[in-house]
Amino acid sequence: MKPRRVAVRLHKKGPRAAMARAINSRWFDLEPAALVENVLVATGLDFEAATSLVELAEEEAELTLSPAAYAATMRLGEAEEKHVEMLALLARARGLGVEPSAGMLRLSMKAAAALGDWGAVSRLFAELAHMDAEAAARLEAYGAPETLDALPDADDLLLVDVGLSLIHI
């Protein structure tokens, strides 16, 4: 799907009509990467169409898209619950040398949480918070909330050898 057709079609109706008309009026003024970003941010594309546009821009036009363009695409994936695809988009952006934005990392954390991948959530949070790898590993060790709930209470444990061993009684 060509971006021009998308913008022209979407500017006629919907809540983002004014934004789409503005993109159309600046069609020849914008840099190609900025044009793609504006289409992703301002129009009502679905996730599949947005990822097709991203792929077309990267592969055919050899554009380097901004983190905002990837984040906009990931927001569409979040709305459609395409969690695996969102994480794949983050990996794709990283592979192309795009530094993930805070928005991309937060959306990726949501996707990983929806998949139950708490290790990925902790690593993404550590990256977002600019934590070191050791802190990320400590976060990852906690695991899923269900795991924490399944641990016995402290009253049910007998500490032996100055806290080096735990014996469940």
Side-chain angles (χ1 to χ4, degrees):
M1 179 180 299
K2 293 186 178 181
R4 174 86 172 137
R5 289 185 188 152
V6 170
V8 169
R9 184 186 64 206
L10 293 174
H11 90 277
K12 295 177 183 175
K13 59 184 176 184
R16 298 181 184 189
M19 294 176 94
R21 279 192 300 275
I23 292 170
N24 275 344
S25 69
R26 298 198 54 214
W27 188 255
F28 294 108
D29 300 340
L30 291 173
E31 293 292 324
L35 180 61
V36 171
E37 178 183 327
N38 280 291
V39 168
L40 290 169
V41 170
T43 61
L45 295 177
D46 63 8
F47 184 70
E48 184 178 339
T51 53
S52 295
L53 179 60
V54 168
E55 290 172 5
L56 180 69
E58 292 170 344
E59 295 170 7
E60 298 298 322
E62 298 178 357
L63 298 176
T64 301
L65 299 178
S66 69
Y70 288 102
T73 306
M74 293 173 79
R75 275 192 296 280
L76 296 170
E78 178 186 28
E80 295 180 23
E81 298 183 1
K82 305 273 187 170
H83 308 298
V84 172
E85 292 86 349
M86 290 169 61
L87 294 173
L89 193 59
L90 174 68
R92 180 184 181 105
R94 286 182 196 262
L96 293 170
V98 176
E99 184 71 28
S101 66
M104 289 173 67
L105 293 172
R106 284 188 200 103
L107 288 162
S108 296
M109 287 171 57
K110 287 182 179 182
L115 295 170
D117 188 347
W118 301 105
V121 172
S122 67
R123 288 186 299 276
L124 290 163
F125 175 78
E127 184 177 353
L128 178 64
H130 305 289
M131 298 169 66
D132 62 10
E134 183 180 327
R138 285 195 304 268
L139 272 176
E140 189 173 347
Y142 284 107
E146 297 81 26
T147 305
L148 294 176
D149 290 341
L151 292 174
D153 292 332
D155 295 338
D156 295 338
L157 297 177
L158 174 62
L159 300 178
V160 180
D161 294 334
V162 194
L164 299 178
S165 305
L166 295 177
I167 301 173
H168 189 276
I169 55 170

